[in-house]
């Protein structure tokens, strides 16, 4: 496995250092996404009033929409994915430094080797980051739906996610 990863970076590049930065970026993004639970807990608590030692649901109260509670807590994963553009450029320019391995790469029988070494790790990392975003979005939505009392839910929560992320032009 390690040998396959070494084929995803330019010859002589610091693979372990790049992997450490990628892991750190994804970990910080995950930690930042946990802000969602603080927001959810605050909104959930606002649905109740304490009478004596009992918590009672306030009549007619509505929970905030999922996208409002989620806010920008998953933005770190987009930042990691966009950061891979810089890594891609770095990988390409790395071939022009030091021993100028660009000349070796251009003489190899496999003409795609240069592009494979420049693109592989950034594209895989961006894909992993966006997949993590999607999994957490679905998991956080499921938690929202499970925690929120049915009488406090506004309809079409899933459509509001679609509108917020896709129709607003975030991905376009």
């Amino acid at each position: 496995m390690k040998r396959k990863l070494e084929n995803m970076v330019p010859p002589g590049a610091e693979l372990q250092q790049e992997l450490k930065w990628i892991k750190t970026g994804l970990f910080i993004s995950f930690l930042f996404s946990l802000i969602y639970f603080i927001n959810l807990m605050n909104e959930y608590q606002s649905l109740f009033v304490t009478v004596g030692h009992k918590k009672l649901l306030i009549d007619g109260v509505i929970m905030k929409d999922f996208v409002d509670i989620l806010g920008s807590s998953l933005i770190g994963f987009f930042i990691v994915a966009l950061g891979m553009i810089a890594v891609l450029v770095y990988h390409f320019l790395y071939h022009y430094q030091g021993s100028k391995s660009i000349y070796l790469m251009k003489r190899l029988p496999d003409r795609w080797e240069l592009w494979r070494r420049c693109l592989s790790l950034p594209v895989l990392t961006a894909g992993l980051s966006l997949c993590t975003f999607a999994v957490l979005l679905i998991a956080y939505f499921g938690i929202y739906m499970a925690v929120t009392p049915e009488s406090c839910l506004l309809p079409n929560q899933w459509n509001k996610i679609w509108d917020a992320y896709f129709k607003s032009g975030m991905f376009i």
Side-chain angles (χ1 to χ4, degrees), residues 24 34 44 52 57 60 67 69 71 73 81 87 90 92 115 117-118 126 128 135 139 145 159:
T24 302
L34 296 178
Y44 180 76
L57 186 64
V67 290
I69 295 173
S73 61
V87 174
Y90 168 73
F92 187 75
W115 293 109
R117 286 184 179 263
C118 292
L128 175 65
V135 167
M145 295 301 285
N159 292 341

Side-chain angles (χ1 to χ4, degrees), residues 51-117:
V51 177
H53 294 293
K54 267 189 158 180
K55 290 175 78 174
L56 299 174
L57 186 64
I58 300 171
D59 288 335
V61 71
I62 300 294
M63 181 81 143
K64 261 188 178 179
D65 288 333
F66 171 73
V67 290
D68 295 332
I69 295 173
L70 184 66
S72 62
S73 61
L74 295 177
I75 195 76
F77 295 104
F78 287 108
I79 293 170
V80 169
L82 286 175
M84 290 300 107
I85 295 171
V87 174
L88 186 147
V89 170
Y90 168 73
H91 280 181
F92 187 75
L93 293 177
Y94 185 85
H95 288 92
Y96 288 93
Q97 298 173 356
S99 66
K100 304 228 184 222
S101 61
I102 189 69
Y103 300 117
L104 170 66
M105 298 303 288
K106 287 185 176 184
R107 286 191 320 236
L108 290 175
D110 183 4
R111 66 183 184 144
W112 298 108
E113 184 69 20
L114 172 66
W115 293 109
R116 192 173 12 263
R117 286 184 179 263

Side-chain angles (χ1 to χ4, degrees), residues 112-133:
W112 298 108
E113 184 69 20
L114 172 66
W115 293 109
R116 192 173 12 263
R117 286 184 179 263
C118 292
L119 289 170
S120 296
L121 191 61
V123 169
L124 285 175
T125 302
L128 175 65
S129 184
L130 295 176
C131 285
T132 305
F133 166 85

